[in-house]
Amino acid sequence: MIREPSSPGTSRYQIRVITSEEEFRSVEPIWNGMLSQLGDSNLFVSFEWMWTWWSCLKQGKQLLLIVANDGDKTVGVAPLMKDKRRIPFTPIPFKELRFLSTIPSAYSPCSFAGTLDILVWPGHDSVREAIARYVLTEIEGFNCLRLHPLPEDSATLSAFERAGQDLGFTSDISKVFDNVCLRTTGDWDAYLKQLGKKRRSRLRRLAKKLSDSYEVDCVELTGLDQVGEAVNSIVAVEAGSWKKQYGVSITDSQYNDFYFELAKVFAGKGWLRVFILKADGKPIAYQYYVHYCDRVTALKTSYNRSFDQFGPGKVMIPIAFEKFFRDGVTEIDLLWGNLDFKRKWADTVHSRHEVCLYRTDPYTRFIKAVMTNPRLRGAWAFCRKCVENVRKKTA
């Protein structure tokens, strides 16, 4: 499917839609070429992330990879998919367009990507609106377009909102969460000192308390030959974690081994950094990081709840962070949630936003009215909490 948008300033672009996995795989060199030109250190827009996610979690979804060319040169890539959903606790279906590797709710502990956007070649900013207009006029069979999590200063937000309003969609832009980050361009010792004397003392006490009770070791696993050990250790930790009770464990079936397949891919690229804390040889905590370009991203972390009194997660963080400082990492992204424990370690907050566009036909208007009703949303949240409580009691 190829079409030249007729909107002013966008008619220079030829746009096509990739729907097959074979074609998806074939754009890897183009994709990586764009990222190298952009110098983008966002792990979540890498081809490796998108391809692995799709390979593991494509069931029930339709691939819609939008590629825009200016002549023979690819200048824009929008990794989208169509997903069939239901209104919560009802059999009423509707279809939604989203970025690859997202779930409907951006603000969720089950979310995958921390930051997403359209890839745009420098000097071709207008391609965003060309892609937006193409998607809204040429892609059929969806009720709602929901793109998140976008940086608050992303031009994609305004491009889709503007195109949607021009084409008669109802639109909304809202903040969905904050990413908490630590800039690591300074000296490790200076950073440690600014944490405060009491905090440093508390961390030392926790480490000593653990080492007085057990033989403690913390290992970093990075290579392809160490993935098996990393996965087995993570599984062992998660078996006794609080996340297991709430269905957000990395081993939960909803993830379909995505994070383990990802570990293999990233280890092969030299990006994997998994830290395992052991007590008497038994894994009791892990931290799963990815070192992509000059940035480290904390994908997943957990600990065995029976070791809660020792604060194993707190004991591990300085070990990992010191290595990142020494290795010349420029930023550590702690991802989803502006939470107190994250702010104790980090110094920067990046807001993430969502642009949502609804069609105006009667059925979609009904879907929108139900999905955005504050009372119903509150009722759904209450029901989810009840389910979680039941799951906790029966675990």
Side-chain angles (χ1 to χ4, degrees):
M1 184 189 301
I2 299 176
R3 175 179 178 271
E4 294 190 5
S6 58
S7 306
T10 64
S11 59
R12 62 194 283 191
Y13 302 114
Q14 303 82 46
I15 298 180
R16 63 191 177 102
V17 182
I18 290 175
T19 58
S20 74
E21 292 188 3
E22 183 179 0
E23 286 185 281
F24 184 6
R25 190 69 182 178
S26 72
V27 301
E28 181 177 3
I30 296 172
W31 194 307
N32 287 335
M34 290 188 69
L35 285 177
S36 64
Q37 177 66 26
L38 294 170
D40 198 327
S41 59
N42 177 10
L43 165 73
F44 303 109
V45 297
S46 68
F47 181 87
E48 290 80 4
W49 171 271
M50 291 292 186
W51 174 257
T52 307
W53 189 92
W54 179 255
S55 299
C56 293
L57 294 155
K58 63 189 175 186
Q59 185 173 2
K61 302 172 180 64
Q62 179 185 350
L63 179 67
L64 294 170
L65 185 62
I66 314 298
V67 178
N69 277 37
D70 184 3
D72 295 331
K73 182 178 181 180
T74 299
V75 296
V77 176
L80 305 181
M81 64 182 180
K82 186 186 296 182
D83 190 16
K84 187 174 182 179
R85 295 182 58 199
R86 291 187 306 166
I87 294 176
F89 306 106
T90 78
I92 303 173
F94 67 101
K95 292 183 179 179
E96 188 171 76
L97 292 187
R98 299 195 309 273
F99 281 129
L100 284 178
S101 80
T102 60
I103 62 174
S105 175
Y107 191 69
S108 167
C110 298
S111 291
F112 295 92
T115 310
L116 292 171
D117 208 337
I118 293 173
L119 300 184
V120 175
W121 194 268
H124 291 267
D125 290 343
S126 60
V127 77
R128 288 187 178 86
E129 187 165 349
I131 289 174
R133 291 182 178 275
Y134 181 91
V135 168
L136 298 178
T137 57
E138 299 299 315
I139 304 298
E140 300 178 346
F142 72 93
N143 305 102
C144 172
L145 177 141
R146 186 185 305 275
L147 299 183
H148 62 241
L150 287 153
E152 63 178 329
D153 59 351
S154 171
T156 301
L157 290 165
S158 57
F160 271 83
E161 181 183 42
R162 184 167 53 250
Q165 290 175 346
D166 289 347
L167 295 167
F169 287 72
T170 58
S171 63
D172 178 59
I173 291 179
S174 59
K175 177 179 172 180
V176 287
F177 62 79
D178 290 319
N179 271 10
V180 181
C181 303
L182 169 64
R183 292 169 293 189
T184 54
T185 53
D187 176 75
W188 165 250
D189 295 323
Y191 167 74
L192 195 61
K193 186 176 181 180
Q194 64 89 27
L195 292 179
K197 186 176 180 179
K198 289 184 178 180
R199 184 125 173 266
R200 295 197 306 272
S201 177
R202 191 179 305 115
L203 290 170
R204 286 194 298 268
R205 285 199 303 271
L206 285 172
K208 186 177 186 304
K209 184 179 180 181
L210 181 61
S211 62
D212 285 345
S213 303
Y214 301 91
E215 183 179 339
V216 179
D217 186 26
C218 187
V219 298
E220 182 182 5
L221 306 174
T222 61
L224 196 55
D225 59 334
Q226 297 176 312
V227 170
E229 181 182 351
V231 169
N232 290 337
S233 297
I234 289 172
V235 170
V237 171
E238 290 286 20
S241 75
W242 64 267
K243 293 185 177 181
K244 190 78 172 178
Q245 294 182 340
Y246 291 93
V248 294
S249 165
I250 193 174
T251 59
D252 194 86
S253 60
Q254 67 178 314
Y255 297 124
N256 196 28
D257 289 337
F258 164 66
Y259 287 103
F260 300 146
E261 291 301 315
L262 200 65
K264 297 175 187 176
V265 174
F266 287 169
K269 295 286 184 177
W271 302 344
L272 183 68
R273 305 190 71 166
V274 174
F275 291 82
I276 306 294
L277 184 66
K278 299 180 180 181
D280 289 346
K282 173 185 176 180
I284 63 169
Y286 76 86
Q287 293 180 350
Y288 181 161
Y289 296 95
V290 180
H291 190 164
Y292 180 71
C293 296
D294 59 353
R295 179 187 296 176
V296 164
T297 301
L299 281 189
K300 288 288 182 179
T301 180
S302 192
Y303 64 88
N304 187 313
R305 60 187 174 181
S306 64
F307 288 82
D308 187 62
Q309 61 176 311
F310 301 105
K314 295 176 183 177
V315 171
M316 290 184 74
I317 288 177
I319 297 172
F321 280 19
E322 181 176 4
K323 288 195 174 185
F324 299 151
F325 269 83
R326 308 291 189 200
D327 292 345
V329 170
T330 60
E331 187 175 69
I332 303 170
D333 191 345
L334 300 180
L335 291 187
W336 174 88
N338 187 5
L339 307 176
D340 289 342
F341 83 91
K342 292 185 179 182
R343 290 199 304 271
K344 289 179 180 179
W345 295 99
D347 58 4
T348 306
V349 174
H350 299 304
S351 295
R352 303 301 179 223
H353 286 63
E354 171 185 83
V355 57
C356 189
L357 304 176
Y358 285 90
R359 295 188 184 277
T360 55
D361 61 276
Y363 187 74
T364 302
R365 289 172 64 184
F366 164 73
I367 296 293
K368 179 178 183 293
V370 174
M371 292 294 292
T372 59
N373 184 291
R375 291 185 178 180
L376 287 176
R377 290 173 68 89
W380 295 331
F382 175 77
C383 290
R384 285 196 298 270
K385 187 175 180 179
C386 290
V387 170
E388 290 172 357
N389 288 337
V390 170
R391 182 182 294 172
K392 182 178 179 180
K393 291 178 181 179
T394 57

